[in-house]
Amino acid sequence: MPSERQDRQRLDKWLWHARITKTRTLAQKLIESGAVRVNGQRVLDSDRWVGAGDGLTLQIHTRLKVLRIAAIADRRGSASVAATLYEDISPQGLSEKLGPTFSVRKTEN
């Protein structure tokens, strides 16, 4: 790994190490769906490099989370270790459950 990337990590790997997603595949799908922004810019490629100080905005199901990356990890650790990798800076109202982002109309048979 080049020296400038030693303090950075792929976004999908970081989401998995920080226990934001249960698997790395789910992290990749979340990113590719357009539900992740890094420093305010939508990211569609899971190979985007992130590091300490970067801001993440994620929409997971009906929840909106705003996180600031505090550190990266070499491997996935316990939940208490994962919690040290980020700071949740979501505004009070945004971390609460939001309404659906789309509606599904039921059709009668």
Side-chain angles (χ1 to χ4, degrees):
M1 186 183 307
S3 61
E4 67 270 3
R5 293 218 171 152
Q6 288 180 351
D7 60 342
R8 301 187 70 73
Q9 187 171 53
R10 281 177 56 119
L11 177 58
D12 61 334
K13 225 174 173 181
W14 186 88
L15 290 171
W16 180 58
H17 287 178
R19 294 184 171 263
I20 305 300
T21 60
K22 290 185 178 183
T23 66
R24 193 165 164 195
T25 302
L26 286 175
Q28 291 168 344
K29 288 180 181 180
L30 182 69
I31 295 163
E32 291 166 1
S33 74
V36 179
R37 292 178 181 265
V38 176
N39 297 326
Q41 295 184 346
R42 180 173 284 176
V43 177
L44 298 173
D45 296 322
S46 57
D47 63 350
R48 168 76 185 261
W49 290 85
V50 295
D54 285 338
L56 299 180
T57 306
L58 308 120
Q59 180 153 6
I60 303 173
H61 301 293
T62 59
R63 297 194 183 269
L64 186 65
K65 294 186 82 98
V66 182
L67 308 175
R68 179 174 293 124
I69 297 175
I72 59 169
D74 292 332
R75 64 184 186 87
R76 183 175 166 110
S78 66
S80 59
V81 171
T84 66
L85 299 179
Y86 62 89
E87 176 186 356
D88 189 347
I89 56 172
S90 302
Q92 203 70 9
L94 289 182
S95 62
E96 299 298 320
K97 193 169 187 173
L98 300 174
T101 57
F102 61 92
S103 60
V104 177
R105 184 184 303 179
K106 288 187 174 184
T107 58
E108 295 182 26
N109 293 348

